[in-house]
């Protein structure tokens, strides 16, 4: 019997790349949606990232008959009362580009000075097992919303998420640098511990 | 036999107050310099905070025949290559007021935009025991140098140390709020663990 399979249940290729690094070397055979040829239409109808991540992980575990890891991530901007939050991917409407979403957010903050532009990137990971259990973990990263986009790396709101300690936006980091400090990197390292515990308890 | 005494070896009354909170309830009888009537002139000749904290703790432990806790704290401003650092208290010269020191630092940064004003408050604590051992621990707090002072709490550079996540300067926090997130609060919680270990190992 080989290693158990772990399905990275995301259609976002950039997210897949970000998960491979912190999950490197775990005793699972990591597979993607295209590897298993599954395409489930999941409506992210939850009001929280926790709900959305759970809905996705459960749907994909059920469809694939594999342990599935899904995340829901969002940007919480203090000056917008925590918005866009769970709505991050759809904040400027459906079917718009990353750049249009950035511009929409920047326009909402155009009169907000830097002292009031604090924001938090949050990533909630749900791991759904074949036994029907769902376990959650999360990671956070604090920064400031810049006044204009900078950098080509990452995706989503990364080009306007400024990290004062690094003097760079999230999109100006290498994937290794981003992984070190990002919400997703932190959450993934916790997910790794959960997955390793599953393996130990099933030995 | 009562509890062993711990000397808070600082002449700064605001520092004493900040230490009492995180050290509350430890199995030591906490005493201050005025309690023991000791006044040692310590030259902070070290080039690092670690050296200065050690020099102070050792000098006071020797003079008082008590376990002594001393700290050296500093503000490391990225745009100034880490200055004032260990020189924080003497950065604008000897015998100047907190306000003059603030203004001196602000004038050095007057042309630096907010994106390049990241800074780190660092507190190094040295604990010197009667056996001649010195143990170090530290705490850090990241923030941004504001363009003008704000707030009446704390001391030193607190009024220009802006905490984006809180939307306030360090001087606008209550002592409890400051303790939660400050370099000194973090270092003090580590010092507490060291002190509790001493007690356990001497039982």
């Amino acid at each position: 019997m080989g290693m158990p399979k772990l399905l990275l249940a995301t259609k976002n290729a950039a997210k897949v790349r970000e998960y491979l690094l912190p999950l490197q070397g775990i005793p699972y055979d990591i597979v993607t949606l295209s590897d298993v040829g599954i395409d489930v239409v999941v409506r992210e109808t939850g009001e929280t990232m926790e709900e959305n991540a759970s809905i996705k992980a459960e749907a994909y575990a059920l469809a694939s008959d594999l342990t599935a890891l899904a995340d829901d991530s969002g940007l919480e901007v203090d000056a917008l009362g925590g918005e866009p939050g769970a709505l991050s991917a759809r904040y400027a409407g459906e079917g718009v580009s990353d750049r249009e979403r950035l511009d929409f957010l920047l326009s909402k903050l155009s009169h907000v000075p830097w002292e009031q532009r604090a924001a938090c990137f949050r990533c909630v990971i749900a791991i759904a097992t074949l036994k029907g259990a769902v376990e959650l973990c999360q990671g956070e990263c604090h920064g400031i919303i810049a006044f204009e986009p900078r950098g080509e790396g990452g995706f989503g709101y990364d080009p306007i998420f400024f990290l004062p300690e690094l003097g760079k936006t999230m999109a100006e980091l290498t994937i290794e640098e981003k992984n070190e400090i990002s919400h997703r990197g932190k959450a993934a390292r916790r997910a790794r511990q959960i997955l390793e515990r599953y393996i130990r308890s099933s030995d």
Side-chain angles (χ1 to χ4, degrees), chain A residues 5-164:
Chain A
K5 284 186 173 162
L6 171 70
L7 176 63
L8 290 186
T10 174
K11 296 175 186 172
N12 181 331
K15 276 196 189 179
V16 170
R17 278 195 300 279
E18 290 187 14
Y19 276 112
L20 291 179
L21 198 63
L23 295 182
Q24 217 167 27
I26 55 165
Y28 286 83
D29 180 13
I30 297 176
V31 296
T32 62
L33 293 181
S34 56
D35 290 335
V36 295
I38 284 181
D39 186 7
V40 179
V41 177
V42 184
R43 298 299 301 172
E44 300 183 17
T45 52
E47 284 185 12
T48 65
M49 295 182 213
E50 283 77 3
E51 281 183 79
N52 284 330
S54 302
I55 291 170
K56 281 188 269 188
E58 285 185 308
Y60 280 105
L62 197 66
S64 67
D65 215 18
L66 297 173
T67 296
L69 181 157
D71 84 25
D72 198 44
S73 304
L75 179 66
E76 298 172 335
V77 180
D78 290 5
L80 301 175
E83 283 196 2
L87 298 170
S88 292
R90 288 150 287 155
Y91 195 47
E94 303 278 349
V96 304
S97 70
D98 269 9
R99 179 62 202 236
E100 286 167 319
R101 252 190 304 274
L102 290 191
D103 288 338
F104 181 69
L105 187 70
L106 287 179
S107 71
K108 288 209 138 196
L109 295 173
S110 58
H111 297 294
V112 178
W114 70 270
E115 298 98 316
Q116 293 163 30
R117 296 173 78 95
C120 176
F121 255 140
R122 202 154 71 87
C123 172
V124 176
I125 292 179
I127 302 171
T129 68
L130 300 181
K131 293 174 185 160
V134 176
E135 198 155 350
L136 296 169
C137 59
Q138 70 152 340
E140 294 185 356
C141 178
H142 293 273
I144 291 178
I145 303 301
F147 289 85
E148 46 190 38
R150 226 167 63 187
E152 304 296 326
F155 63 96
Y157 296 101
D158 286 356
I160 56 170
F161 194 82
F162 182 74
L163 300 148

